[in-house]
Amino acid sequence: MKEMKESMVQNAAIEWLQGLGYTHQEGNSLTRDLKKVVLDEELKGFLQRTYPDVPDTAIHEAMAIFTQHEGMDLDHRNQDFHRKMTQGISISWKDAQGRELAKHLYPINYDQPEANSFICADEVSIEGKNNRRPDLIIFINGLPVIVFEFKNMFDAEVGVDNAHRQIGHYTQDIPQLFDYNALTIISDGMEALHGMYKAPMEWYAPWKSIDGSDTQQQVSLQLETILKGLFPKATLLNYLKNFIFHEDHNGKIIKKGAKYHQFWGINRAAQSALTNMKPAGDGRLGVIWHTQGSGKSISMAILTGILRGLPELKNPTIVIQVDRSDLDQQLYESFVLCKDLVGDVQHAETTDELRALLSTDGGGVIFTTIEKFRLKDLDEGKEITHPVLSDRYNLIVMADEAHRTQYGFKDGGFAQNIRKALPNASFIGFTGTPVDGKGADTELVFGETIHTYDIKQAVEDGATVPIYYEPKMVPLNIKTGYNELLESITEDEDESTHAVWAAIEDAAGAEDRVKTVANDILTHFTKRTASLDGKAMVVCMSRKNCVKMYDALTALVGCPEVAVIMTSNIGKDPESWNPHVRTKDAMEAVKKRFRKVDDPLKIVIVRDMWLTGFDAPCVHTMYVDKVMKGHNLMQAIARVNRVFEDKPSGLVVDFIGISGFLATATKKYTGSGGAGQPTLDMEAAVNLCLLQHQEVCQLIGGLDQEAIKAMSEGELSIWYVNTVNELLSSDQKTDEFLVEEKKLTELVAMTNSDKRIWEIQEDVVLIQKIRNGIRKIKYPPGAQRKKNDRIKDLISQSLQSNKIVDLADMYGLDKIDISIVDDKFQAIVKEKGQENIKIEILRRIINDEVKVRSVKNTRKAKKLKDELEKVLSNYHKNSLDSIAAIKHMLDIAEEMKNEDKRTKELGLDEDELAFYDLLAANEKILNQEGPVQDLVHKVVASVKKNLQLDWTKKEDAKAAIRLAVKKELKGKVPFSTLDELLKEVIEQAEGQYKDWPMEG
């Protein structure tokens, strides 16, 4: 049977890549300077083959440009290389007659994938600040554009997070590799995630589709899926060229890449453009339906970049059109950040400016709100019909969530005007909330849905978090008939024209009601942030109600900083509203503050602003005191579905009664083909939490708070230690408790605002302390970086909780190493009681020490490991009692301590003892004057003298060591046994010095 080890995952990846036509080379066989990462000969060969008319002097100049990057830091250098990789460079030279010639060169042939060389090389040694050896690198034409880091799928203690941390170390130790890095893949054989080299772990994602039509959900197939889905040569080159970009945030570079749903959806949109644009098609390019929060703005920017680069479209003009100025500004800012993809963008501030921009013949990207396609007031009166601004066919209008205005085809309606202004333009729609109301069907306007990425898939992928719904209705004092009138108002009607709207606004803003809602919001938010760090939005019916809510909230003791976000009309608004009036720059400053989780601004109150197109991932709660319907409601609640660190979910708290409208919106959503519910029932979550609490309590034998409070500290310590001891009695029991406790903690974080959860909080505190005790024994704290967890343990809160004795203090767990297994420690563990805890501690001590010693003495380490596993196996099978198990484990520890003593007594170095054991076992046949140690010194010295980088993979290097050792043994060992002993010496050397002189 093959050994199950880390390299098995690595070898599987190589096998799949070879099946895709990649050439595999061992890292140590590559011809290169170990401090450099580019395969110069590969790059030079490609450029000479591709551009045979370019002289060698110009080729060398091009190579210098492709391998020397501008920028003081890694991120700027990476951006500089990415531009050169995707956009090429211009080279000029003079011919023999002195004429100036020029050529634009690319380091990759994107049009002919097979014209490039694709090499996957494993264990590529790189010398840097520290020497490192990434598991697998893909070189395209000698450029190291992709790095893989693998972890052992059979090791329960490591996973993709360990691989992610290792990438972080690589960027510090061998930054020259990441000057060129386009994409990073981390995998433990089960999970396989792709991301950018500096991206936090939460932004790494699976690639779940091989061809864009299927979706693979099985975690066990993720590595195969990403390799077969993303790494076919043409697919990979398409991704590298079009789907990666750098955003410049005032000098701070953030690199981003598309997820699988964006890649397949955008490719289909680009193909649809080629097929359906006028005059060959009807100009309806289709609909991209990607749920709110799944990266729609990025998708629009990437598609814009691809369309602008298609030679068939002959430098098209792309009009990005929205229905509100705040959305226009937000999307425009997103596009400006994606300048590498889309080029320069122009912003139409007025109707005249828009008309001027559209009347030119050049291409480009133009941003506008749809209302700028209005009919103008002229000196001779208002325009009767909109003038034609351009009759070009290579003009594409990209509409973003413009539901209200996209269907106004009546005379003078914006949707009709835009089509009169641009009669030969083609249209594509991006939406997270399709409209299929009467006379307003998204597909009728824009064409068929090209690609769907719904709520269900987004949540499963971790692209968004689930949203829970919690009803907290505070009744409105309105006439009965108003409820029926409210139902009849369509979501796109102007609310200000309805008397019923004004009545509801007044009722919602009644002084007593606002105070009640404000008090409940603060109580709820305080409880929620006790276990889940983050921020909240409050949505009110009107600007007047927003100000009322602000006054009511800020009058309460303990209220954090709050801001009202609304438009203003200085000529009409009361003077008392002045504190809430902000300039454009001041509003931007508030926006930046609210996006920072550690900024003291914790709550914003809004009416319409920030309910669409605004992303603040740390927002986890929305308090709704405004009637909303349909796509407006769906877009609003999506403000809390953004991924943020370890945020488990978003929450919508309803004070005004939107549940019926939410149900209708959900029905419309699923009726249009989407899967998944926009919100989940908070009542169900609370019930689930209470059931989970019962289950965890049963696992620990029940929790009686009254009995626990009556215990003395000594009795409490005994109860706690016995509980931990029982949970450690088997791996199955331990794992079950840890899994179920984690579910409970996450559910408490979601539901902690509900009073029923407050009743179990003391139990949860105790359960979490038991969890901490077990984890400290089972998985002790080490040098690993701790995650910045948004989910807080209730232990850290100011709850009244019983003092629990710390197991770390009891046994000094933070300081444990093999030296602790001395007489004093043996006395502790030999006493009766808490045997499972003691066995687990001993197992950890010995297992860690065996790992350390395994490279120094492979035979001895294997023997000790086998003994340890046999003892533990017999103990868990109940064929060995705890006292006997402890004795056996202490004997193993004692044997290791004796090894240390023996090394000193023999006068050997630490790494010589294993070789001594090999030779001493054959002492009777040795023809050796003096002690065996003298021969050991010579043998080890001869091995070390001949070591070189990657020597275990080089037959000539191994042969040199074999020859050197043979010279030392010749004449001292009978010829008949020389080869066998020599073989054992080389095997020990391979285990002990395999990574010389590299660090792993």
Side-chain angles (χ1 to χ4, degrees), residues 946 948 950-965 986 990:
N946 288 279
Q948 58 176 275
D950 282 338
W951 70 274
T952 59
K953 296 182 179 180
K954 300 174 181 175
E955 280 307 318
D956 57 342
K958 285 205 282 190
I961 292 175
R962 213 178 279 117
L963 182 61
V965 174
I986 297 300
E990 284 184 332

Side-chain angles (χ1 to χ4, degrees), residues 503-522:
I504 293 170
E505 177 193 327
D506 287 343
E511 186 177 351
D512 288 346
R513 186 182 179 280
V514 171
K515 286 182 179 179
T516 299
V517 173
N519 188 68
D520 208 11
I521 286 174
L522 184 58

Side-chain angles (χ1 to χ4, degrees), residues 28-67:
N28 59 28
S29 70
L30 299 173
T31 304
R32 49 177 275 273
D33 180 336
L34 293 185
K35 292 181 180 178
K36 296 181 179 179
V37 293
V38 174
L39 308 182
D40 288 335
E41 290 305 311
E42 287 288 331
L43 179 58
K44 181 181 177 182
F46 168 78
L47 293 173
Q48 289 175 330
R49 288 192 309 273
T50 310
Y51 306 102
D53 54 334
V54 177
D56 283 346
T57 53
I59 292 290
H60 285 296
E61 183 184 348
M63 286 186 64
I65 296 172
F66 284 131
T67 57

Side-chain angles (χ1 to χ4, degrees), residues 672-708:
S672 299
Q677 292 182 312
T679 60
L680 304 170
D681 186 6
M682 178 53 74
E683 181 70 20
V686 170
N687 291 334
L688 194 59
C689 184
L690 296 174
L691 287 171
Q692 188 67 21
H693 165 252
Q694 291 176 12
E695 186 168 336
V696 176
C697 285
Q698 287 175 4
L699 289 177
I700 61 175
L703 267 181
D704 184 343
Q705 280 292 342
E706 293 305 314
I708 289 171

Side-chain angles (χ1 to χ4, degrees), residues 320-532:
I320 311 296
Q321 172 260 302
V322 299
D323 69 346
R324 288 219 319 274
S325 58
D326 56 330
L327 294 181
D328 180 32
Q329 184 63 32
Q330 287 157 15
L331 193 56
Y332 171 73
E333 290 168 0
S334 297
F335 266 60
V336 169
L337 288 172
C338 301
K339 186 177 179 180
D340 285 354
L341 284 178
V342 301
D344 292 324
V345 295
Q346 296 170 297
H347 198 202
E349 302 285 354
T350 64
T351 296
D352 287 338
E353 194 172 331
L354 174 65
R355 292 187 177 190
L357 289 170
L358 287 173
S359 298
T360 61
D361 292 331
V365 182
I366 301 169
F367 270 79
T368 182
T369 52
I370 197 171
E371 56 85 21
K372 289 188 177 69
F373 286 93
R374 67 167 74 90
L375 299 178
K376 289 179 61 178
D377 289 317
L378 306 174
D379 292 340
E380 59 272 21
K382 192 167 187 174
E383 288 178 328
I384 298 172
T385 186
H386 201 290
V388 174
L389 302 178
S390 176
D391 59 3
R392 290 164 51 207
Y393 284 96
N394 63 341
L395 208 152
I396 298 171
V397 177
M398 205 176 283
D400 175 38
E401 295 286 10
H403 296 302
R404 178 175 301 185
T405 48
Q406 278 302 319
Y407 312 108
F409 288 101
K410 62 182 186 297
D411 283 344
F414 295 141
Q416 186 186 82
N417 288 348
I418 196 171
R419 283 161 175 79
K420 287 183 177 180
L422 311 170
N424 296 319
S426 297
F427 291 77
I428 185 169
F430 277 79
T431 183
T433 52
V435 171
D436 63 351
K438 185 178 179 182
D441 190 291
T442 309
E443 292 196 354
L444 285 176
V445 175
F446 294 104
E448 293 182 357
T449 298
I450 302 168
H451 192 261
T452 298
Y453 187 67
D454 55 35
I455 290 170
K456 180 175 182 290
Q457 192 61 50
V459 171
E460 285 177 352
D461 290 349
T464 62
V465 298
I467 304 173
Y468 283 82
Y469 170 78
E470 182 177 348
K472 273 182 167 287
M473 182 82 170
V474 179
L476 299 175
N477 184 18
I478 56 174
K479 296 176 182 177
T480 306
Y482 278 164
N483 287 323
E484 293 179 11
L485 287 171
L486 183 61
E487 290 287 345
S488 68
I489 299 176
T490 65
E491 61 184 275
D492 290 328
E493 286 186 76
D494 186 356
E495 299 134 359
S496 62
T497 63
H498 284 271
V500 64
W501 200 262
I504 293 170
E505 177 193 327
D506 287 343
E511 186 177 351
D512 288 346
R513 186 182 179 280
V514 171
K515 286 182 179 179
T516 299
V517 173
N519 188 68
D520 208 11
I521 286 174
L522 184 58
T523 302
H524 187 281
F525 184 70
T526 302
K527 283 292 181 185
R528 183 148 169 80
T529 51
S531 57
L532 185 63

Side-chain angles (χ1 to χ4, degrees), residues 97-162:
Q97 288 73 42
R99 290 176 300 184
E100 188 84 15
L101 301 175
K103 191 89 171 180
H104 200 77
L105 277 63
Y106 289 85
I108 295 173
N109 188 331
Y110 294 100
D111 298 324
Q112 297 174 291
E114 293 301 330
N116 305 284
S117 75
F118 288 77
I119 294 173
C120 57
D122 55 330
E123 306 293 335
V124 180
S125 301
I126 301 170
E127 293 181 2
K129 295 175 184 175
N130 285 304
N131 298 333
R132 296 291 181 195
R133 183 161 36 193
D135 289 333
L136 190 66
I137 297 175
I138 288 180
F139 296 87
I140 301 180
N141 301 329
L143 299 168
V145 292
I146 302 187
V147 175
F148 288 76
E149 190 61 31
F150 299 105
K151 289 300 167 190
N152 191 345
M153 70 187 297
F154 308 107
D155 188 340
E157 296 184 10
V158 297
V160 288
D161 55 331
N162 299 87

